[in-house]
Amino acid sequence: KDDSNKVLTFDAVAYGFSTSNPDSTFKYTQQGLLLSQKLKFTRGQAMLLNRLAEYYQRQGNYAKSIECATQSLQIAEKEDFTFNAADAS
């Protein structure tokens, strides 16, 4: 539980930097994604892949954004996750 909370914290911090400091957004998103994969915390993986999709979209890398968003959606559909509409890119 504590480790999954760390994943959620990485996501929250990444979101906080999303418009002001893209490099930090990328850094915290990557750290959270790696931890969520290590923990097999699929909800965290889906959330952070979506956050990564937002990052790439803001950077103008639309192909990479679509790739990450698709991976996030695949995990969410497989695990039957629902996200708040505000979580969508």
Side-chain angles (χ1 to χ4, degrees), residues 39-50:
L39 299 172
K40 298 181 180 9
F41 179 37
T42 53
R43 180 173 288 276
Q45 290 173 38
M47 290 171 53
L48 286 153
L49 282 164
N50 190 58

Side-chain angles (χ1 to χ4, degrees), residues 22-34:
D23 290 340
S24 291
T25 296
F26 184 77
K27 174 182 143 184
Y28 289 112
T29 301
Q30 289 286 36
Q31 289 177 348
L33 185 56
L34 289 172

Side-chain angles (χ1 to χ4, degrees), residues 54-74:
E54 293 169 355
Y55 165 80
Y56 283 120
Q57 179 185 15
R58 285 191 174 100
Q59 299 303 306
N61 189 340
Y62 301 113
K64 193 69 172 167
S65 176
I66 290 169
E67 179 185 325
C68 292
T70 301
Q71 290 175 8
S72 174
L73 179 61
Q74 289 171 340

